[in-house]
Amino acid sequence: GGYLKKELNSRLDFRVRGLVAMADRGSQFFITCEPAEHYNGQTTIFGIVRGETLFNVLDGLARIQVDNASRPLVDVKIIRAEVVENPFRDVEPRPVHLRFKPERKDKDRRQQAGEG
C-alpha cells in the first residue's frame, strides 16, 4: 500500500463510533470505538463501519493484543471493503481528474504506419 495525504474537512468530525480514519503516518488507520472529538481537525476520516458489521469489527479489534503505546502486536489490514452507501452525503465530492489522457487509437495506427 501507499500513503494517503491528509484531507481535512470541517464537516466531518468524530461524533460517532465506527469511523475509519488515517493515523499520523499516512499508511495506518484506526476505527473509533466511541466518539473521539479530540481528533477533530487532526486527521482524515475516510470511511465508516455500520450495522452489524460494526460490532463484528470492533469485537475482533478488541481481542488484538497491543503494546504499551496501544499499537497492535500483529498487522491489522483492511483486506476488502464494500461501499454500500455514501456515509458523508452532505460533503461535496472532489472532481475526478485523469492523470493521463487516453491516446486515440487512430493516431497510434498512423504513427505505426509512418503517417504521423
Side-chain angles (χ1 to χ4, degrees):
Y3 292 91
L4 299 171
K5 293 189 310 185
K6 277 189 180 181
E7 294 183 20
L8 304 177
N9 187 315
S10 62
R11 296 178 70 189
L12 298 177
D13 58 21
F14 290 87
R15 287 180 285 171
V16 297
R17 63 183 174 181
L19 295 173
V20 184
M22 181 174 64
D24 286 337
R25 300 188 119 190
S27 65
Q28 299 173 340
F29 68 92
F30 62 93
I31 300 173
T32 59
C33 297
E34 59 188 27
E37 294 177 2
H38 57 281
Y39 286 120
N40 289 344
Q42 302 296 315
T43 189
T44 304
I45 298 171
F46 60 88
I48 188 167
V49 181
R50 288 208 167 146
E52 292 179 20
T53 306
L54 173 63
F55 299 107
N56 295 336
V57 169
L58 294 181
D59 182 55
L61 290 175
R63 296 171 190 261
I64 296 171
Q65 293 183 340
V66 296
D67 64 16
N68 292 339
S70 297
R71 292 189 179 104
L73 298 177
V74 296
D75 286 344
V76 178
K77 299 178 181 182
I78 297 175
I79 302 298
R80 185 177 69 84
E82 180 179 343
V83 178
V84 178
E85 66 177 288
N86 178 1
F88 310 118
R89 291 183 187 161
D90 62 332
V91 177
E92 284 290 318
R94 291 183 314 196
V96 176
H97 300 286
L98 294 176
R99 288 185 185 180
F100 305 101
K101 291 183 181 179
E103 293 285 328
R104 290 184 38 196
K105 290 183 180 180
D106 58 335
K107 180 181 177 186
D108 292 340
R109 289 187 192 127
R110 284 194 311 248
Q111 286 178 341
Q112 290 174 354
E115 300 172 7

